[in-house]
Amino acid sequence: MQRFIDIAKKLLPLKRWLMSSNEALLMKTISSTDSQNIKQQSNESKNALHIGIASQDHREQTNKWQYSPLLRFFIHMMLITDEKLSIAN
């Protein structure tokens, strides 16, 4: 995971990321100086940290964000092309 985040930070600035979780976990995570530029959404029903690429939600007139499918595509490409990653058949 750390290797993935290091690669992703080089490809996409942190201001383009979206992070969501419950308020307590967000406050604990966002407190680091590395994560202060990341967009965040609080959702008390989430007990895990969700990280993705932020895409503006144009369905509403408000300034809301949604997750872009680009990150899923990037992860699939990494799984296919990463020679150091061992995947059990």
Side-chain angles (χ1 to χ4, degrees):
M1 181 65 170
Q2 185 60 45
R3 188 164 160 246
F4 166 75
I5 290 175
D6 290 340
I7 293 170
K9 283 174 26 181
K10 292 176 185 174
L11 296 175
L12 193 66
L14 291 178
K15 66 181 181 178
R16 299 288 184 197
W17 290 34
L18 176 62
M19 183 181 298
S20 62
S21 186
N22 62 50
E23 189 69 28
L25 189 54
L26 276 176
M27 294 307 263
K28 181 179 176 184
T29 306
I30 297 295
S31 64
S32 73
T33 57
D34 200 30
S35 305
Q36 289 182 357
N37 292 328
I38 297 176
K39 292 168 181 49
Q40 51 187 303
Q41 292 179 340
S42 179
N43 184 338
E44 292 306 315
S45 67
K46 293 182 179 179
N47 293 322
L49 194 62
H50 297 257
I51 299 174
I53 296 173
S55 173
Q56 195 161 14
D57 191 349
H58 296 289
R59 295 173 294 180
E60 300 182 24
Q61 297 298 325
T62 60
N63 191 19
K64 292 198 175 191
W65 298 93
Q66 63 184 1
Y67 288 101
S68 167
L70 182 60
L71 183 62
R72 276 178 284 207
F73 172 75
F74 179 70
I75 290 171
H76 289 296
M77 290 306 295
M78 282 188 66
L79 289 172
I80 293 169
T81 60
D82 191 352
E83 297 168 355
K84 294 180 183 176
L85 188 63
S86 62
I87 300 173
N89 291 333

